[in-house]
Amino acid sequence: MPGSVTLKSPINALKGVGTKRAEQFHKLGVDTVYSLLRYYPRRYINYTEYLPIAQTVIGENNVVRARVYQKSPESRIRKGLSLYKVFVTDDETEMVITIFNSKYMYEALKLGQEYVFYGKVTGNLFKREMNAPSFVPYTEQMKMMPIYSLTEGLSNKMIASAVETGFRLTDDAVFDPIPADITENYGLCHLNFALHNIHFPENQNALETARKRLVFEELLTLQLGMLLLKKRNREESGVSIKEYDWSGFEALLPFSLTGAQKRVIADCVEDFHCTVPMNRLVQGDVGSGKTMVAAALGYLMAKNGYQTAVMAPTEILSEQHYRTFCRTFENTGIRVCLLTGSLTKSVKEKETAKIAAGEYDVIIGTHALIQDSVQFDRLGLVVTDEQHRFGVAQRSKLAAKGENPHLLVMSATPIPRTLGLIIYGDLDISVIDELPAGRQKIDTMAITGKKRERALHFIRGQLDRGLQGYIVCPLIAEEGESELKSVTGYAAALEKGPLRGCRIEILHGKMKAKEKDAVMERFKQGKTQLLVSTTVIEVGVDVPNAVIMMIENAERYGLSQLHQLRGRVGRGSEKSYCILISDNTGEDNRKRLKTLCETSDGFRIAEEDLKLRGPGDFFGARQHGLPDLKIADMAADMEILKQTQQLAKRILEKDVGLRLPENKGLRRLVSLLFAHGDGQFFH
Ligand code: ADP
Ligand code: MG
């Protein structure tokens, strides 16, 4: 009985979707009929825009309108592979369609009938071919066909037809979560129209209307969620600081703090005077000494009897911070501990008990710190390092562990101001715009592969002097036809050739945390001379004896990312070098790499990146810990982003917790977008 299927029904309530297929849908994040309708196509094939066969571009996907004039019988190539050829023409040029193993498709194509085909055109000027194309019979009312992201076993057609069934059974039941006055004011269409036309657009116009509405909804949800998260941190802090004098801290260091470090510390100490907790972002270029800012504040917290939690994105970084803090606080009585995922259960239990009992003052760790089992005694300050790897939601979860502790976010990604305001909303921002004295400029050069041998020779010379280096490759292992360099292949070649006898190790993201740590540890101790790595070494790693950073396929990375990588060297007293290798001699790429050779100012580089590549690079959702967006593109949809930012503020001014009945739908959207599997958004 069709009436029994509702939007809430599990996906297998649809005819044609069994248990197995339902599992495949689950892989796409689709579990109910509603979430199926919310599974938007990735793109569309516009069947109205077909080309004459003679004008198709060989090697690319094309849309062609043609008539079947001949069909050759099945030919069996070998066991399990049969092949069908169908000959089509648009009355000027002929084309051969090849179908593999599908008698059904073959029979669907009828002699004398006209179809629209979509697929990659191969062959040559005189003989064009299309293998296994998608096709529909040609009619006067041609439309656009949705193309979905697929998963193994689930074809585009299956998804499209499930969506169609879903619409048929639940039509008109779609409730619009956006209050009517908003849809009216912003000229948005109803959700029902939007969903229909995002899947099966009537025409280009309808598609745009639908897309605008869904983007608006998604960005509004994002902004509401962010604001709500931040509002929580604006409640009164239970932390009471009595002692503001941190001047004893500097005496613990082997160097004096830079003016910028002192200024930023002072900004934070100023925040401690207020009743609302600090909510501050410290932006400082790589190597500007952000860790010391955190340490100074940890020192002050300990003096006031409060604990500080320092959260780093990786085990490597946590351990590095742990050592730095231990060294700095050696004779102060400040007790430091490390809590990471790789501790044994019994050690972890012992440590968490001690944290809860207040026997540690500074607690350093990875994600393990935000697990429910970790309770603090008197949490005064939470520091997240390189925050872009942490989700906004995770951050707030940690903050919820104390009585609204102060929050410091440290980021090495210089972000142009305009974008920073959007990404960080109402975080206060301090900038460390000065490097510690005595840093030498890193000599940076951009070369092509022709000079690789010479560069390696130079590297060998540096290694022979007892110095260390990094080489970064984009891939972990060789991939078929790819011309990109791979970590494993590269390291092996170096060992056999130019760097024979050197102690080389590899590092990449697929290795277990333990292995990675061991590799990093040997590198830090100088046991390894050269690390061939993917970009996992990008974040925060500090080995002052490393003086070489060579980056293969430099064209693959954004300027800001290259700048980050470069920041791994130039941390000690020896002269450091950064070598960018790229065989892409295009004007744009050359210009980009030249910028990097000329300047070491992260903010200037970020501005340049923004100009050359647009804001996309800064908005990588993952990078900033923003929730995954399904349809909005923060770079392209900047206008809507601004609109929704304003609107979200206004909505929350009137309805602080999204509790009014008319905002029920919005509330639901927010909890869906921010759920992330770590529990309820609204408590
Ligand atoms: P980042 O800002 O990239 O996190 P770190 O905190 O890792 O930088 O500091 C980079 C290096 O600079 C460390 O070895 C640290 O000990 C050193 N350092 C930090 N502050 C100073 C300073 N004021 N003078 C000299 N060296 C410093
Ligand atoms: Mg750092």
Side-chain angles (χ1 to χ4, degrees), residues 255-258 261 285-292 436 439 542 571:
F255 42 73
S256 38
L257 292 170
T258 64
Q261 282 170 317
D285 218 337
V286 276
S288 61
K290 292 183 287 296
T291 317
M292 284 304 137
R439 287 284 162 79
D542 188 31
R571 296 178 155 245

